[in-house]
Amino acid sequence: DADVTQTPRNRITKTGKRIMLECSQTKGHDRMYWYRQDPGLGLQLIYYSFDVKDINKGEISDGYSVSRQAQAKFSLSLESAIPNQTALYFCATSDRSAGQGVNEQFFGPGTRLTVL
Amino acid sequence: SQKIEQNSEALNIQEGKTATLTCNYTNYSPAYLQWYRQDPGRGPVFLLLIRENEKEKRKERLKVTFDTTLKQSLFHITASQPADSATYLCALGTGAGSYQLTFGKGTKLSVIP
């Protein structure tokens, strides 16, 4: 979905390096999410943010941090990358005005990260 | 422990037949359930949402059922086509206010011409 963009699309890095993945959206949504996807494990929530001042840990936040620089931007950082953080990372957004219980999420194209 | 299970990792069916995918969950009380389609190397795309008080939802060739007693959702694609080949993910609305989604691992559907 071109409304949600992620950069870079592919990244190869070395163990111990700091990496930032960026997500931007033009949908005007308040809520943004970061997931990782591993073969056989499905999508796992890393962090989510319901507005610029509200950031929450997901089920697998250890080793990651995030920054919500603006409503439209949500960045994911790996402070010191390790090989088991090799995965496909997705950013997603959803619309607060849709109301409770209606939470269709719009996903970006993903970032394939390889940590050597 | 909480668990979401999609019946099989892979499902092969003949073109024109109805594909039925299953999503079972334990120790959740979701306010709603969603189904997404994911093509290789791409992000998931939303297909359908069904609320806990709804039994069935339809959209074109797609049909979803939701049985909160059985803790199960069925996802049907009628008159399947090779273009329907993809991985299908179910997701439960979870967390406070049900604003988070917890995803199953997905079922890879292959429609054979």
Side-chain angles (χ1 to χ4, degrees), chain B residues 45-60:
Chain B
V45 175
F46 171 81
L47 296 174
L48 280 169
L49 174 149
I50 186 164
R51 292 183 172 83
E52 60 180 338
N53 60 351
E54 298 174 322
K55 295 293 184 187
E56 182 179 298
K57 269 286 191 59
R58 291 175 184 262
K59 179 182 176 182
E60 298 173 352

Side-chain angles (χ1 to χ4, degrees), chain B residues 3-57:
Chain B
K3 215 165 31 170
I4 301 171
E5 290 182 322
Q6 294 193 239
N7 58 325
S8 55
E9 288 189 13
L11 179 66
N12 297 328
I13 65 163
Q14 208 70 33
E15 182 177 4
K17 301 291 186 183
T18 296
T20 299
L21 284 64
T22 304
C23 178
N24 295 293
Y25 58 92
T26 54
N27 294 321
Y28 285 108
S29 296
Y32 60 93
L33 186 147
Q34 299 183 8
W35 285 87
Y36 287 77
R37 169 183 173 139
Q38 186 174 22
D39 291 287
R42 296 186 164 225
V45 175
F46 171 81
L47 296 174
L48 280 169
L49 174 149
I50 186 164
R51 292 183 172 83
E52 60 180 338
N53 60 351
E54 298 174 322
K55 295 293 184 187
E56 182 179 298
K57 269 286 191 59

Side-chain angles (χ1 to χ4, degrees), chain A residues 9 31 33 35 37 40-43 45 48 50 90 99-105 107-109 112, chain B residues 31-32 34 36 38 41-46 49 51 89 96-105:
Chain A
R9 294 296 312 280
R31 298 179 184 150
Y33 310 80
Y35 294 90
Q37 188 173 42
L41 288 181
L43 283 160
L45 182 63
Y48 61 101
F50 285 168
F90 288 104
Q100 183 172 357
V102 181
N103 193 36
E104 172 188 352
Q105 293 188 10
F107 285 79
R112 186 168 297 279
Chain B
Y32 60 93
Q34 299 183 8
Y36 287 77
Q38 186 174 22
R42 296 186 164 225
V45 175
F46 171 81
L49 174 149
R51 292 183 172 83
L89 310 173
S98 296
Y99 294 128
Q100 296 176 48
L101 288 179
T102 301
F103 285 84
K105 295 178 184 180

Side-chain angles (χ1 to χ4, degrees), chain A residues 7-25:
Chain A
T7 55
R9 294 296 312 280
N10 289 282
R11 181 72 184 266
I12 300 173
T13 191
K14 294 182 179 179
T15 297
K17 294 291 187 181
R18 184 177 187 275
I19 295 296
M20 180 180 286
L21 309 183
E22 298 187 342
C23 176
S24 294
Q25 53 113 348

Side-chain angles (χ1 to χ4, degrees), chain A residues 10-76:
Chain A
N10 289 282
R11 181 72 184 266
I12 300 173
T13 191
K14 294 182 179 179
T15 297
K17 294 291 187 181
R18 184 177 187 275
I19 295 296
M20 180 180 286
L21 309 183
E22 298 187 342
C23 176
S24 294
Q25 53 113 348
T26 58
K27 299 189 78 68
H29 290 170
D30 288 314
R31 298 179 184 150
M32 299 187 74
Y33 310 80
W34 275 105
Y35 294 90
R36 68 175 277 176
Q37 188 173 42
D38 299 271
L41 288 181
L43 283 160
Q44 296 175 280
L45 182 63
I46 307 172
Y47 270 95
Y48 61 101
S49 170
F50 285 168
D51 63 43
V52 175
K53 296 179 182 178
D54 178 33
I55 292 179
N56 305 279
K57 292 182 178 181
E59 55 188 308
I60 56 160
S61 59
D62 287 349
Y64 301 94
S65 62
V66 290
S67 173
R68 186 82 184 265
Q69 302 94 323
Q71 186 201 40
K73 295 184 183 297
F74 193 34
S75 300
L76 176 72

